[in-house]
Amino acid sequence: MQSHSIRVIIAAMSVLCVLSLTACAGAPEDGSQFDPRDFSGVWHMEGGSGQFGPPNPPALTSAGMAAMRGRIPSRSVDDPSLSNDPSYECNPEGFPKILFDAEPMEILQLPDRMLQTFQWEGRIRYLWLDGRELPTGENLENLGPAWYGHSVAEWKGNTLVVNTVGFDDRAWLDRPGHPRSFNARIEERYQRLDSDTIELRLTLYDPENYSDTWAGEPKIFRRLPSDEYTFFGWEGIFSGTTEQICAPMNEVETYNQLFRDPGAEGISSTP
């Protein structure tokens, strides 16, 4: 009778082991709990060179060499003001360059999308999780180029896989000034390693500019404690004392024609 009771207790403990991560060896060694599919929070990239991948990327095609010609990254000159990095002229960083910035990023999750909000530029990037297909062909041509492309995401196990296409090729790929074309595709693979760490692996597919696929070096994002983005008692990545927002490169062609010029002349820009 006593042995039967012991067996019942052991069986019950086994069930609890399956139901509870804290009761078994499967729990994280530090005792913390996290959902591997929950990326919400404020994150900051740890270290990094500001470069997409290893120092020796695939060989550039003739188009890639032409795109690189005349680019002066800040790391190549003593005075950063001599650089012609488009972002130094108040133009968007573009993707994926904004990921390599020293400012924090907050991730917000909704049922059909994930939002990356960047302190730099006050930028919001949509990663669509609603099952839509990545735009291609005429559909992509109609959508046209965008500073941050058009992104579709899906879960593969506990890895978030994001594919982005449709880039505005005026923005640099990274701080050294590598190019990426409108028809390039960038794959991101995010994996939450523990409660405070996300690993990102990037791969660039751009046969127009490169002779081969370029696999980027792993990027590590650490969770920021709230006191590092709380100012005067006001918490949030946009609660600092400055707004780091610049104007787009196409100001004259678009902003002036649609808003500034009609407004100055007293003409409504709406139909």
Side-chain angles (χ1 to χ4, degrees), residues 99-145:
L99 284 174
F100 313 147
D101 197 89
E103 306 298 334
M105 167 188 69
E106 183 172 13
I107 296 179
L108 307 172
Q109 292 189 222
L110 299 172
D112 63 346
R113 78 201 81 168
M114 187 176 291
L115 307 182
Q116 290 180 331
T117 62
F118 298 90
Q119 186 179 77
W120 186 251
E121 297 182 14
R123 178 67 56 186
I124 299 177
R125 181 174 176 237
Y126 278 61
L127 312 179
W128 289 102
L129 281 159
D130 59 356
R132 69 181 65 189
E133 295 184 1
L134 196 68
T136 58
E138 185 178 356
N139 189 19
L140 179 58
E141 291 290 337
N142 289 334
L143 286 172

Side-chain angles (χ1 to χ4, degrees), residues 35-53:
D35 179 352
R37 287 193 174 197
D38 182 7
F39 292 169
S40 58
V42 177
W43 306 87
H44 185 271
M45 196 178 80
E46 182 177 80
S49 62
Q51 179 162 301
F52 180 85

Side-chain angles (χ1 to χ4, degrees), residues 70-80 82-85 88 172 175-177:
R71 295 188 177 187
I72 306 172
S74 58
R75 63 176 55 187
S76 69
V77 290
D78 295 330
D79 183 353
L82 299 176
S83 170
N84 60 3
D85 185 327
Y88 290 174
W172 293 3
R175 296 204 175 281

Side-chain angles (χ1 to χ4, degrees), residues 50 85 87 93-101 172-175:
D85 185 327
S87 65
E93 288 272 19
F95 173 80
K97 190 164 174 278
I98 197 168
L99 284 174
F100 313 147
D101 197 89
W172 293 3
L173 177 77
D174 55 11
R175 296 204 175 281

Side-chain angles (χ1 to χ4, degrees), residues 18-19 24 52 68 87 134 152 178-179 194:
V18 174
L19 297 177
C24 308
F52 180 85
M68 281 283 287
S87 65
L134 196 68
V152 169
H178 292 106
D194 56 44

